[in-house]
Each structure stands twice: as structure tokens, then as C-alpha cells.
């Protein structure tokens, strides 16, 4: 069994309590790694290490280009470890190797992009009406970032936080999900090898409701960056509000994937599959509501069912596998719960709706790809995030109706639009209230393009140049160049 330790202040350490837990491989349903369980003292130590690194150097005295250079070094080291890390993450959370491998390759680009950006972050000289004053701004790091991440894509989503946070001179304490802690601990070994000073990057593991909460409240943490469920996000927003901490929230979704009769149907079928069966539906950007124009409803579903029936379920480490297990037992139970609720509310199971009967698959946490019809947008299954391979299909007649159904949601993370009509595509992009709209594609993300939510899908953005604003603050500096002192009783 693999043995892991916490990474605090540049050292590998046991949890202060000495407690350990096991990480379960969702394919075998067996423990494969032993991980320390941190408590409040471990968080105190990690935050202190991050504070010291932020305030006392060498990190805080490095030039921006030196810090950028470290991120680019890290990118090179990641590149040599793609296969190993992808295997570990697939083992820890059951995600397909073809997806974790792609994530790992993209991490190289993320660290190069943000490493390159590090020395391009600067303030401005501002022309004022008062010409004797030199006014300039400094764009400065916020301080210690407490990053709390979910189990579905631990390394990718930690990178969305760590790369911009470090590129702008902050330090970070990451608390990954306790159900998938291993890949980020492996990743910390690469950070160490890249030569980051001790305390710049720390990882603590432990239950979210206890140590995630404690980290967010910690007076030594200046900014919370959270990716996870909306209910947890709301609690963290309250914590941040109490102490006026900066916070970025990347939360859940119930995203529409809208297919018009004028779409390329073959591509749209693939897009519907990408939306809900890729990553076993365990993605914030799942296209879990499929809105089909009524004129193509039957034909589209026939084709979707035919292709879904050919999905290859199996070991996520096998490159041919298309659908792996759910990441943990709670999630498996949640999926079944929602399928049951949907049926009680009048939905029909067109496909799936249960666990596979195959004996081999049944050892793992598998659930059949599921398509529900007769779904009304008012049903819970169309309103609440399931985070599993469950697709709710909703018909519509007109473009206006599609927009109304798409926007009738508490969430607004992503949306897909399938049409060959360029006018309609752009009209839809404008009308839909979500942070991302994909036209004739689905499930794209890139280091250079902003990602984040409208409505209860969160606030703040990750990726792209704009994210720099979320990890920096602006100081305005005024320098009087006129030796004559101004009237002290008038604001100037
Ligand atoms: P979760 O909210 O249960 O947990 C996320 C993280 O928060 C974990 O590290 C957990 O330990 C910690 N946590 C739990 N309770 C906490 C508390 N009271 N205080 C502080 N930390 C706490 O979410 P999850 O089940 O791990 O992940 C699934 C959710 O993440 C889904 O809702 C999904 O949509 C969302 N997600 C969003 C994005 C995005 O970019 N918008 C990406 C991936 C996942």
C-alpha cells in the first residue's frame, strides 16, 4: 500500500494526531493508499509556514521573473511525470486514464502560461487632473491563499488556483478532498523538486467540514479559493464575509445542452455524450439537461441510445475504457437516489437507471449511463446537480422556449448550443445566462480562457489573464512633486 505524508513548510510530515485513513480505488473498491488525517494544529502549521514564506523571503524578495521561472521549471518536471501522475489520479478517483493523461499534459501549459505571465503583472501611471502629482498603482499579491478543492479533478482544479496564485507572489495551502488526496501529494514532490522555497506550497488533508472550514476561517488566510458544491460554497461565502476575506467560488451546475433541428446531428449526439457520460457525469460542466427540438426528438434519442449502448465500461486505467466508476460510495448512492426521485415525479427511464449486472463491474462503484425522458424542467432531477451519468431530456418547440428553459435554473455555469445557423448561434450565446457558452462543441477549457459561473454557480473567474485580478490587490501611490504644501483643510 502507498504511504503518504502531509507537505508543510517544505517538509514531509505525519499528521500531529498520528491518525491515518485509507484512500479507496473506486474500480476495485479496495484501499490502495494510506494517508494522514490532519487536524487544526496541522492547518495552523501550514498557514504559519505559508505566512512566513509570504512575509520573510526568499519568496517575497524574489523578482517576478524569478518566480515565473520557478513555475516554468515546474512545468518541465510535470512533463517528465505525466504518465505516473495520471495513473495515480485515475487510481485515486476512478477517472479515465485518457482524461487524466490529457489533464496532466495541460498542466504543463498552465504552468508555462502563468510562469510567463508572472513578470507581466504591473501597475499603471495614472494621469490626474492635478499635474503636480505623480500617481501610480502597484499590483500586489493578496497573501496566503487557502485553496479547497473537490474530488473530481484534483490536479487540474488545484492548478487553476495554484498557478495564478503563485505567479502573482501569493503562497498557498491546499486542502484537497479527503476522498482523493493522493495525486496532489504526489504533485507536491514535483513542486519541491522545482525549487520553490519552503512554505510557498503546502498540502493538508482532512475532513472538509472540520479542517476545510478551519482553514477558511483561519486569521492567517487572506483569500479563500474554493471549488466544490454550492451548499459548501455558501457556507464559505459567509465565513469570508465575516472577516471581509477575498473569495473565489467555483460551484455546481445544471447546464443545458440545446440541440436545434438545423444542427449537425452526428456531432450533436457526440456533444450530448461528452456532456453527460464523459467523466461519468462527475464534472461541474456536465450538460445534464438535454434540450431537444421536438422535430428531431425521436431520431436524436434513437441515435443517442444506440451510441450510449456501445459505451465501453471498465477499468479506468485501460485506454479503451469510456466510462469508469463513480468516485465514491456516497456519490453512487446519490445517483440512485435521484433516479428514484425522478421516477416518483413522473420521469421515465429510457436507458440505465441502475447498476450494471456484470459481476466484474459490480465490484467497483459503477452505474449504467442513464437517460431519463418525460422530464419537466420543474422536477428536482432537472433543477439539482446529481454529478453522475444521468441525463434529463426535455423537448422544446421554439428558440424562445429553449432560452426560457435553459435560463430557468439557479445555476449558470456552462451551456451548449448545437445549430448550423450562425445568427441563431450568436443570439443564443447572448441570451443564455452562464459563464461559458459552447457552440457546436462541448466541454472545452483552456488556461487562457476565463472559466466561472453566473448565478449560484459562483463568482470570480479562473484561467486567462483576468484571473490575475482575483489574486492581486491594487495600491495607489501619490507623490507630490510641487514643493509648495497644499491647503491642509481641503481634500485634494
Ligand atoms: P464538496 O463541496 O463536498 O467538497 C469540496 C471540498 O470542500 C472538499 O475538499 C471538501 O473536503 C471541502 N469541504 C466540505 N465541506 C466543507 C466545509 N464545511 N468547509 C470547508 N470545506 C469543506 O464538493 P465535492 O462533493 O467534493 O465536489 C463536487 C462538487 O464540486 C460539485 O457540486 C461540482 O459541481 C463542484 N465542482 C465545481 C467545479 C467548478 O469549476 N465550478 C469544478 C469541479 C467540481
Amino acid at each position: 500500500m502507498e504511504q503518504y505524508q502531509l507537505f508543510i513548510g517544505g517538509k514531509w510530515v505525519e499528521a500531529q494526531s498520528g491518525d491515518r485513513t485509507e484512500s479507496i480505488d473506486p474500480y476495485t473498491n479496495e484501499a490502495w493508499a494510506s494517508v494522514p488525517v490532519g487536524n487544526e494544529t496541522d492547518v495552523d502549521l501550514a498557514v504559519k509556514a505559508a505566512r512566513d514564506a509570504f512575509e520573510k523571503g526568499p519568496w517575497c524578495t524574489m523578482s517576478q521573473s524569478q518566480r515565473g521561472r520557478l513555475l516554468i521549471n515546474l512545468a518541465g518536471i510535470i512533463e517528465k511525470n505525466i504518465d505516473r501522475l495520471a495513473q495515480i489520479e485515475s487510481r485515486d478517483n476512478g477517472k479515465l486514464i485518457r482524461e487524466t493523461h490529457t489533464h496532466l499534459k495541460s498542466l504543463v501549459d498552465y504552468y508555462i502560461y502563468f510562469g510567463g505571465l508572472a513578470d507581466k503583472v504591473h501597475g499603471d501611471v495614472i494621469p490626474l487632473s492635478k499635474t503636480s502629482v505623480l500617481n501610480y498603482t502597484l499590483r500586489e499579491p493578496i497573501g496566503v491563499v487557502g485553496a479547497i478543492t473537490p474530488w473530481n479533478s484534483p490536479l487540474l482544479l488545484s492548478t487553476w488556483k495554484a498557478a495564478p496564485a503563485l505567479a502573482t507572489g501569493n503562497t498557498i495551502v491546499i486542502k484537497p478532498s479527503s476522498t482523493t488526496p493522493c495525486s496532489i501529494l504526489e504533485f507536491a514532490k514535483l513542486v519541491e523538486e522545482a525549487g520553490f522555497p519552503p512554505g510557498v506550497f503546502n498540502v493538508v488533508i482532512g475532513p472538509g467540514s472540520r479542517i476545510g472550514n478551519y482553514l477558511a476561517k483561519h486569521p492567517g488566510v487572506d483569500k479563500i479559493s474554493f471549488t466544490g458544491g454550492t451548499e459548501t460554497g455558501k457556507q464559505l461565502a459567509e465565513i469570508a464575509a465575516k472577516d471581509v476575506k477575498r473569495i473565489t467560488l467555483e460551484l455546481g451546475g445544471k447546464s443545458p445542452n440545446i440541440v436545434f433541428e438545423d444542427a449537425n446531428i452526428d456531432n450533436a449526439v457526440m456533444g450530448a455524450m461528452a456532456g453527460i457520460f464523459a467523466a461519468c457525469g462527475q464534472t461541474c460542466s456536465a450538460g445534464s439537461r438535454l434540450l431537444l427540438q421536438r422535430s428531431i426528438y425521436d431520431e436524436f434519442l434513437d441515435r443517442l441510445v444506440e451510441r450510449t449502448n456501445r459505451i465501453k465500461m471498465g477499468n479506468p486505467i485501460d485506454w479503451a475504457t469510456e466510462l469508469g466508476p463513480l468516485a465514491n460510495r456516497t456519490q453512487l448512492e446519490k445517483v440512485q437516489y435521484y433516479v428514484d426521485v425522478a421516477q416518483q415525479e413522473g420521469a421515465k427511464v429510457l436507458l440505465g437507471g441502475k447498476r450494471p449486472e456484470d459481476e466484474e463491474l459490480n465490484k467497483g462503484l459503477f452505474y449504467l449511463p442513464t437517460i431519463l425522458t418525460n422530464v419537466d424542467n420543474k422536477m428536482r432531477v432537472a433543477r439539482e446537480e446529481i454529478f453522475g451519468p444521468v441525463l434529463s431530456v426535455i423537448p422544446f418547440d421554439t428558440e424562445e422556449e429553449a432560452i426560457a428553459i435553459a435560463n430557468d435554473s439557479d445555476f449558470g455555469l456552462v451551456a451548449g448550443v448545437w445549430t448550423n445557423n450562425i445568427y441563431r448561434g450568436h443570439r443564443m450565446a447572448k441570451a443564455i445566462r452562464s459563464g461559458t457558452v459552447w457552440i457546436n462543441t462541448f466541454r472545452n477549457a483552456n488556461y487562457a480562457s476565463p472559466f466561472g459561473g453566473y448565478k449560484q454557480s459562483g463568482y470570480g473567474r479562473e484561467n486567462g489573464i483576468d484571473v490575475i485580478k482575483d489574486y492581486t490587490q491594487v495600491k495607489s501611490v501619490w507623490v507630490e512633486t510641487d514643493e509648495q504644501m497644499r491647503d491642509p483643510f481641503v481634500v485634494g
Side-chain angles (χ1 to χ4, degrees):
M1 178 129 49
E2 291 291 326
Q3 299 286 323
Y4 287 98
Q5 291 181 303
L6 306 178
F7 188 61
I8 296 177
K11 294 197 171 70
W12 293 97
V13 293
E14 286 301 317
Q16 292 293 311
S17 64
D19 290 349
R20 289 197 148 258
T21 186
E22 287 170 341
S23 194
I24 306 292
D25 174 340
Y27 176 62
T28 59
N29 210 2
E30 285 168 8
W32 80 280
S34 163
V35 187
V37 184
N39 64 17
E40 289 78 359
T41 314
D42 298 289
V43 175
D44 287 340
L45 290 168
V47 173
K48 181 172 185 323
R51 266 257 68 85
D52 286 351
F54 181 68
E55 287 171 0
K56 297 186 188 150
W59 181 247
C60 63
T61 52
M62 273 182 192
S63 69
Q64 289 175 233
S65 47
Q66 281 173 315
R67 287 200 290 253
R69 188 61 192 257
L70 283 175
L71 269 85
I72 292 169
N73 277 355
L74 175 60
I77 295 169
I78 295 169
E79 199 156 26
K80 292 187 199 131
N81 286 276
I82 288 175
D83 289 339
R84 198 171 60 80
L85 259 76
Q87 294 265 348
I88 288 167
E89 185 147 298
S90 285
R91 196 143 188 218
D92 213 27
N93 78 349
K95 192 172 267 238
L96 300 186
I97 187 78
R98 50 211 264 195
E99 171 126 320
T100 51
H101 206 268
T102 309
H103 283 182
L104 258 300
K105 280 206 286 196
S106 78
L107 295 202
V108 177
D109 297 332
Y110 276 91
Y111 283 100
I112 289 174
Y113 178 80
F114 282 103
L117 209 50
D119 61 2
K120 291 155 198 81
V121 175
H122 54 73
D124 292 308
V125 175
I126 300 173
L128 299 184
S129 54
K130 195 171 181 206
T131 52
S132 70
V133 170
L134 168 65
N135 179 228
Y136 62 91
T137 56
L138 297 173
R139 191 163 275 283
E140 298 182 328
I142 294 172
V144 175
V145 176
I148 303 174
T149 55
W151 43 260
N152 59 328
S153 296
L155 281 178
L156 184 73
L157 299 176
S158 304
T159 290
W160 287 14
K161 302 176 186 319
L166 300 181
T168 45
N170 300 279
T171 57
I172 195 163
V173 177
I174 300 186
K175 198 225 75 73
S177 167
S178 359
T179 62
T180 56
C182 299
S183 55
I184 190 75
L185 288 168
E186 281 290 336
F187 183 80
K189 296 178 186 167
L190 311 190
V191 175
E192 190 182 20
E193 190 183 334
F196 283 81
V200 170
F201 183 98
N202 309 273
V203 185
V204 288
I205 312 290
S209 54
R210 184 171 164 195
I211 77 152
N213 192 276
Y214 185 76
L215 175 66
K217 285 182 180 154
H218 203 293
V221 168
D222 303 287
K223 177 183 166 97
I224 304 164
S225 185
F226 174 74
T227 301
T230 294
E231 289 316 310
T232 317
K234 287 179 185 173
Q235 289 175 33
L236 293 175
E238 278 183 32
I239 290 172
K242 196 163 162 288
D243 290 330
V244 198
K245 284 187 187 182
R246 311 291 187 280
I247 183 165
T248 297
L249 293 175
E250 293 289 359
L251 308 177
K254 193 74 211 178
S255 300
N257 204 356
I258 309 164
V259 187
F260 287 97
E261 60 193 2
D262 57 23
N264 176 323
I265 300 297
D266 288 336
N267 287 350
V269 167
M270 296 299 274
M273 307 262 303
I276 195 68
F277 301 134
C280 206
Q282 299 172 108
T283 159
C284 54
S285 52
S288 50
R289 288 186 295 151
L290 178 65
L291 275 52
L292 288 181
Q293 196 151 25
R294 212 177 296 274
S295 49
I296 53 161
Y297 186 88
D298 290 334
E299 181 202 348
F300 193 95
L301 282 185
D302 285 349
R303 291 213 221 170
L304 182 62
V305 167
E306 188 278 325
R307 178 61 186 91
T308 305
N309 272 326
R310 287 190 285 119
I311 285 179
K312 188 173 178 333
M313 299 176 81
N315 188 344
I317 307 280
D318 180 345
W319 280 80
T321 300
E322 295 175 324
L323 194 93
L326 288 151
N328 54 60
R329 183 157 292 283
T330 313
Q331 199 51 34
L332 181 67
E333 284 160 9
K334 184 175 168 193
V335 168
Q336 187 60 61
Y337 168 79
Y338 271 104
V339 171
D340 294 343
V341 167
Q343 291 177 92
Q344 284 154 21
E345 290 188 342
K348 292 203 166 64
V349 175
L350 179 66
L351 201 69
K354 56 183 182 184
R355 303 199 57 197
E357 271 144 33
D358 180 297
E359 210 174 294
E360 186 60 28
L361 294 179
N362 244 322
K363 284 191 212 141
L365 306 176
F366 284 86
Y367 199 85
L368 287 174
T370 297
I371 301 176
L372 301 174
T373 55
N374 219 30
V375 175
D376 183 280
N377 201 49
K378 298 278 175 250
M379 291 179 182
R380 283 185 67 192
V381 78
R383 305 205 75 79
E384 296 170 24
E385 187 178 47
I386 302 174
F387 225 60
V390 181
L391 182 66
S392 294
V393 188
I394 303 172
F396 68 89
D397 290 300
T398 63
E399 192 177 307
E400 292 68 32
E401 196 189 349
I403 294 166
I405 297 171
N407 285 341
D408 179 17
S409 172
D410 291 338
F411 298 106
L413 192 60
V414 302
V417 177
W418 299 86
T419 176
N420 277 344
N421 178 336
I422 191 168
Y423 305 104
R424 167 175 275 164
H426 288 293
R427 271 200 308 272
M428 292 296 291
K430 200 163 174 209
I432 290 173
R433 296 194 21 81
S434 63
T436 294
V437 176
W438 290 305
I439 302 173
N440 294 333
T441 182
F442 207 90
R443 225 170 154 246
N444 300 84
N446 187 276
Y447 52 83
S449 182
F451 185 85
Y454 278 28
K455 302 193 262 182
Q456 292 191 29
S457 291
Y459 44 71
R461 287 292 176 271
E462 299 201 296
N463 307 336
I465 290 179
D466 272 1
V467 74
I468 293 303
K469 293 188 187 137
D470 288 23
Y471 285 93
T472 52
Q473 49 198 345
V474 175
K475 182 180 283 171
S476 180
V477 181
W478 295 61
V479 186
E480 179 60 69
T481 61
D482 187 345
E483 286 171 34
Q484 184 94 28
M485 182 58 194
R486 63 180 183 82
D487 178 352
F489 301 104
V490 178
V491 70

